[in-house]
C-alpha cells in the first residue's frame, strides 16, 4: 500500500548547525543541545526579529542532511509513497523558491503543502510537537523526530511517537505498510 507522508525539512530531513549559525549571527557558538525549547527566543534570550534574521540567513545554504534521510526518502519514493513537504520555510520564501531549493539539492518530494488536509496522511514526521498537534489533528501516526529542543515534551496525550533516526522511521513505516498488506 502506498503511504502518504507529511514531512518537515529543518530538524528532520536536515540538521541545524547551531554552533556555526549562532556564532555568525550573535557572536556566540551555542551547541545544539543548548537549544532546550522549540521557542528559540526563549532558549537564546533574543528578540523574534533576531530569530527571523537567523532563519532567513540559512534559507539557501546547502543542506546538512540527517544521517540516512536521503536514502530513506528515496526508499519511500521507490515504494510509491507520496512525500509531501510541510515546512515553516514558507514563512520566509515563496513556494517556487522552495521547490527550486528542493530540486537543486535533489530532496525527493512530490508536493509542497501549505495547509495539510486533516486525515489525508498516514504519517507526519516533524520536530515540532506543537505543529503536529495543531495542524494535522486526524493523522494518528505522528513521528516526533528527536532533537534537544523537543526533548522536554511530555507527550501527555500519548499521540506522539518519538523517533531518533531515519533508520527507525523507515522501520516504523515499513512495518505499518507490511501490516496493511497482510490485512
Amino acid at each position: 500500500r502506498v503511504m502518504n507522508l507529511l514531512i518537515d525539512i529543518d530538524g528532520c530531513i536536515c540538521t541545524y548547525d547551531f554552533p556555526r549559525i549562532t556564532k555568525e549571527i550573535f557572536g556566540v557558538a551555542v551547541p545544539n543541545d543548548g537549544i532546550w525549547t522549540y521557542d528559540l527566543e526563549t532558549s537564546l534570550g533574543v528578540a523574534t526579529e533576531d530569530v527571523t534574521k537567523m532563519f532567513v540567513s540559512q534559507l539557501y545554504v546547502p543542506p546538512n542532511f540527517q544521517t540516512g534521510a536521503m536514502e530513506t526518502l528515496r526508499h519511500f519514493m521507490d515504494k510509491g509513497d507520496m512525500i509531501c513537504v510541510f515546512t515553516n520555510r514558507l514563512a520566509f520564501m515563496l513556494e517556487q523558491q522552495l521547490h527550486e531549493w528542493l530540486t537543486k539539492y535533489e530532496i525527493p518530494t512530490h508536493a509542497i503543502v501549505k495547509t495539510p488536509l486533516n486525515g489525508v496522511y498516514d504519517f507526519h514526521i516533524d520536530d515540532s510537537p506543537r505543529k503536529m498537534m495543531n495542524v494535522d489533528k486526524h493523522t494518528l501516526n505522528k513521528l516526533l523526530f528527536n532533537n534537544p529542543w523537543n526533548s522536554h515534551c511530555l507527550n501527555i496525550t500519548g499521540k506522539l511517537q518519538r523517533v531518533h533516526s531515519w533508520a527507525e522511521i523507515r522501520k516504523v513505516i515499513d512495518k505499518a505498510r507490511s501490516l496493511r498488506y497482510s490485512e
Side-chain angles (χ1 to χ4, degrees):
R1 174 176 178 313
V2 172
M3 295 287 186
N4 291 318
L5 309 174
L6 188 65
I7 305 175
D8 182 31
I9 297 173
D10 300 298
C12 293
I13 295 173
C14 303
T15 64
Y16 286 111
D17 182 357
F18 277 117
R20 180 191 56 78
I21 298 167
T22 57
K23 180 73 171 171
E24 286 175 10
I25 303 297
F26 305 109
V28 178
V30 177
N32 280 12
D33 61 3
I35 310 296
W36 52 272
T37 178
Y38 199 82
D39 175 3
L40 291 175
E41 292 87 345
T42 299
S43 267
L44 298 174
V46 299
T48 300
E49 58 264 18
D50 292 328
V51 171
T52 299
K53 178 182 172 186
M54 186 175 77
F55 280 117
V56 168
S57 76
Q58 299 304 304
L59 289 176
Y60 299 101
V61 300
N64 182 18
F65 293 112
Q66 294 277 5
T67 301
M70 293 295 282
E71 297 82 4
T72 302
L73 292 173
R74 285 188 204 103
H75 167 78
F76 293 150
M77 290 286 265
D78 291 346
K79 292 289 187 182
D81 296 335
M82 178 64 71
I83 300 174
C84 300
V85 168
F86 179 54
T87 176
N88 290 336
R89 283 176 176 255
L90 289 175
F92 306 107
M93 59 195 319
L94 299 173
E95 187 173 342
Q96 181 60 35
Q97 293 170 314
L98 177 58
H99 176 73
E100 289 168 3
W101 185 84
L102 291 165
T103 301
K104 179 178 181 176
Y105 295 107
E106 301 178 359
I107 300 173
T109 57
H110 289 97
I112 296 169
V113 177
K114 290 181 181 178
T115 307
L117 302 170
N118 281 323
V120 171
Y121 307 97
D122 297 294
F123 286 89
H124 183 172
I125 303 161
D126 209 308
D127 64 324
S128 171
R130 179 187 322 149
K131 194 165 112 184
M132 282 196 287
M133 296 306 290
N134 285 337
V135 182
D136 191 22
K137 295 176 175 66
H138 300 292
T139 295
L140 298 177
N141 300 297
K142 298 175 187 303
L143 303 181
L144 178 63
F145 200 95
N146 192 63
N147 275 292
W149 46 89
N150 64 33
S151 64
H152 297 291
C153 174
L154 298 177
N155 189 23
I156 63 171
T157 64
K159 293 182 179 179
L160 302 172
Q161 179 181 346
R162 190 173 293 276
V163 290
H164 297 85
S165 68
W166 278 92
E168 186 177 356
I169 290 168
R170 179 176 174 165
K171 185 177 176 182
V172 167
I173 292 174
D174 283 348
K175 181 178 179 182
R177 181 190 328 277
S178 69
L179 290 174
R180 288 195 179 151
Y181 279 133
S182 66
E183 290 176 353

